[in-house]
Amino acid sequence: MFFKKADITAMPTRYRANFINSLSGFKSANLIGTSNNRGQTNLSIVSSAFHIGAHPPLMGFIFRPDIAERHSLDNIRETSVFSVNQVSQTIYKQAHQTSARYPRDISEFDQVGLTPAYVEFSKAPYVLQAELSLLMRLREEIPLKINGTHMIIAEIEGVQLDENFIAVDGFVDIEAINTVAISGLDSYHSTQRLSREPYAKP
Amino acid sequence: MFFKKADITAMPTRYRANFINSLSGFKSANLIGTSNNRGQTNLSIVSSAFHIGAHPPLMGFIFRPDIAERHSLDNIRETSVFSVNQVSQTIYKQAHQTSARYPRDISEFDQVGLTPAYVEFSKAPYVLQAELSLLMRLREEIPLKINGTHMIIAEIEGVQLDENFIAVDGFVDIEAINTVAISGLDSYHSTQRLSREPYAKP
């Protein structure tokens, strides 16, 4: 079947959200850990994290200011730091629960039963139960006028990870630490490696 | 183990590329189909497609001007249109092969054995063998000065998909059409659904 622009526009809001969110393919599953300057913590699942570059090591995130992610975005603006914690099969239901609209002064860490932990150089709480955590520093915020979302570009300043999951060429086996993938708004998936492919030559 | 910023900076280039590319989590796998105004086609795998919003239906892409993707980016600038084709298990090896540095006047469609097809309203070739194809129109190009990459924001103007894979709530079952996920630079994965989670409430 072929859906034209008018067909998409005519879809009911929630139906269209489910539909369009499925079309980009599988998404990453990460928990964003933040705190404000008074130490009030916040934890929010995002499927919008994406790789921007390796040197400097940069990741991007799309934040919608009108939903739960708002508290995370405010904290990132206030402290310039946050953590990114890969969601594994062990914690994905708790991770999903952080998407509920808790009041600002309630910590999702407490509500969903995950433990905030800290490294010496950052105010940002990371998730003790995550197998892979990144400490990030805000580098740029780009408002996207086209739909009112905000893109955050941040630099990786620290990586917490068991070195047994790093291959000799630097590849990290995120399947071995049971990282999940997301499709649409709410579907969680485990993975099975098909292959690593060699560097392609004509 | 904890890697600090200095540890990351000290990594050899290729090792760091493998390492950092693994840290954002699973990525989407899509083939970008383009042509120039003379009808010369190009096909390029990207793992950088991400959802920006459902209304209007927008996706983003990070392009590195210094690699094979350059030809795709030039064609998108010339024609303002392109296709996005989800990579399935059936075609992922052919899809990966499009990352080789073919000369500009060579079509990766021919080289890897995929078939360009067209809809009436767009110059952009889509991949006949893909189960899910999107016809896109360029809306914005944002140069990211921080590392010299370019972000493309494009609107979905058409969706080619068997309607049997669309759930009653609009969710598209991309696992049922065998869409793959990518980790790092070169690892391809099939998926197994864990669950769809209900809308979270406090």
Side-chain angles (χ1 to χ4, degrees):
Chain A
M1 182 165 180
F2 193 80
F3 297 87
K4 292 186 177 171
K5 199 167 168 175
D7 301 322
I8 297 170
T9 307
M11 290 173 178
T13 304
R14 189 77 191 163
Y15 186 99
R16 183 175 51 225
N18 281 320
F19 183 72
I20 299 296
N21 267 279
S22 305
L23 300 181
S24 57
F26 285 103
K27 306 173 188 180
S28 55
N30 286 290
L31 282 163
I32 302 285
T34 61
S35 96
N36 65 15
N37 280 331
R38 300 185 312 285
Q40 169 70 48
T41 61
N42 190 279
L43 190 66
S44 182
I45 191 167
V46 299
S47 62
S48 72
F50 55 96
H51 173 83
I52 292 185
H55 190 55
L58 297 172
M59 282 170 59
F61 306 83
I62 302 293
F63 280 96
R64 285 179 53 193
D66 56 336
I67 60 170
E69 299 167 359
R70 172 59 187 266
H71 301 161
S72 301
L73 184 55
D74 286 344
N75 287 347
I76 292 169
R77 288 166 173 161
E78 191 167 315
T79 65
S80 291
V81 293
F82 59 104
S83 72
V84 173
N85 308 271
Q86 272 190 16
V87 176
S88 69
Q89 292 177 46
T90 317
I91 61 169
Y92 86 93
K93 283 180 184 276
Q94 291 158 289
H96 182 77
Q97 181 58 30
T98 66
S99 63
R101 289 172 181 263
Y102 293 103
R104 188 179 292 267
D105 59 347
I106 297 290
S107 173
E108 291 83 1
F109 279 102
D110 301 334
Q111 294 297 313
V112 309
L114 293 171
T115 312
Y118 294 87
V119 296
E120 199 183 350
F121 67 82
S122 178
K123 276 190 178 180
Y126 70 90
V127 176
L128 192 63
Q129 290 84 353
E131 301 283 348
L132 173 51
S133 296
L134 312 177
L135 279 301
M136 310 294 296
R137 180 167 297 276
L138 175 64
R139 293 293 302 273
E140 250 181 83
E141 179 175 352
I142 302 177
L144 302 179
K145 284 183 189 159
I146 197 164
N147 74 342
T149 57
H150 289 245
M151 181 165 79
I152 290 288
I153 300 177
E155 184 167 352
I156 301 171
E157 293 196 321
V159 181
Q160 176 84 56
L161 168 68
D162 183 334
E163 64 205 88
N164 290 320
F165 297 108
I166 308 174
V168 290
D169 65 353
F171 172 79
V172 181
D173 191 350
I174 64 173
E175 182 169 284
I177 56 175
N178 297 310
T179 298
V180 300
I182 293 178
S183 70
L185 285 165
D186 53 23
S187 185
Y188 293 82
H189 306 255
S190 64
T191 65
Q192 183 72 45
R193 176 165 296 112
L194 299 165
S195 61
R196 284 189 72 188
E197 290 295 304
Y199 189 83
K201 291 175 185 171
Chain B
M1 184 166 179
F2 192 80
F3 297 87
K4 292 187 176 172
K5 199 168 171 177
D7 301 322
I8 296 170
T9 307
M11 291 174 178
T13 305
R14 189 78 190 163
Y15 186 100
R16 183 175 52 225
N18 281 319
F19 184 73
I20 299 296
N21 266 279
S22 305
L23 301 181
S24 57
F26 286 104
K27 306 174 187 180
S28 54
N30 286 289
L31 282 162
I32 302 284
T34 60
S35 95
N36 65 16
N37 281 329
R38 300 184 313 285
Q40 168 71 48
T41 61
N42 190 279
L43 191 65
S44 181
I45 191 166
V46 299
S47 62
S48 72
F50 55 95
H51 173 83
I52 292 185
H55 190 56
L58 298 172
M59 282 170 59
F61 306 83
I62 303 294
F63 280 95
R64 285 178 54 192
D66 57 334
I67 60 168
E69 299 168 0
R70 172 59 187 265
H71 301 160
S72 300
L73 184 56
D74 286 343
N75 288 346
I76 292 169
R77 287 167 174 163
E78 191 168 316
T79 65
S80 291
V81 294
F82 59 104
S83 73
V84 173
N85 308 271
Q86 271 189 16
V87 176
S88 69
Q89 292 177 47
T90 316
I91 60 169
Y92 86 94
K93 282 179 183 279
Q94 292 157 288
H96 182 77
Q97 181 58 30
T98 66
S99 62
R101 289 172 182 263
Y102 294 104
R104 187 180 290 267
D105 59 347
I106 297 290
S107 173
E108 290 83 1
F109 279 102
D110 301 334
Q111 294 297 312
V112 308
L114 293 171
T115 312
Y118 295 87
V119 296
E120 198 183 352
F121 67 81
S122 178
K123 277 190 178 181
Y126 70 89
V127 176
L128 191 63
Q129 289 84 352
E131 302 283 348
L132 173 51
S133 295
L134 312 176
L135 279 301
M136 311 294 296
R137 180 167 297 277
L138 175 64
R139 294 291 302 273
E140 249 180 85
E141 177 174 354
I142 302 176
L144 302 180
K145 284 182 190 159
I146 197 165
N147 74 342
T149 58
H150 288 245
M151 182 166 79
I152 290 289
I153 300 177
E155 184 166 350
I156 301 171
E157 292 198 321
V159 181
Q160 176 85 54
L161 169 68
D162 183 333
E163 64 204 90
N164 290 320
F165 297 107
I166 309 174
V168 290
D169 65 354
F171 172 79
V172 181
D173 190 349
I174 64 173
E175 181 168 284
I177 55 175
N178 296 311
T179 298
V180 299
I182 293 177
S183 70
L185 285 166
D186 53 23
S187 185
Y188 293 83
H189 306 255
S190 64
T191 65
Q192 184 71 44
R193 176 165 296 111
L194 298 165
S195 61
R196 284 190 71 188
E197 290 295 305
Y199 189 83
K201 291 174 186 171

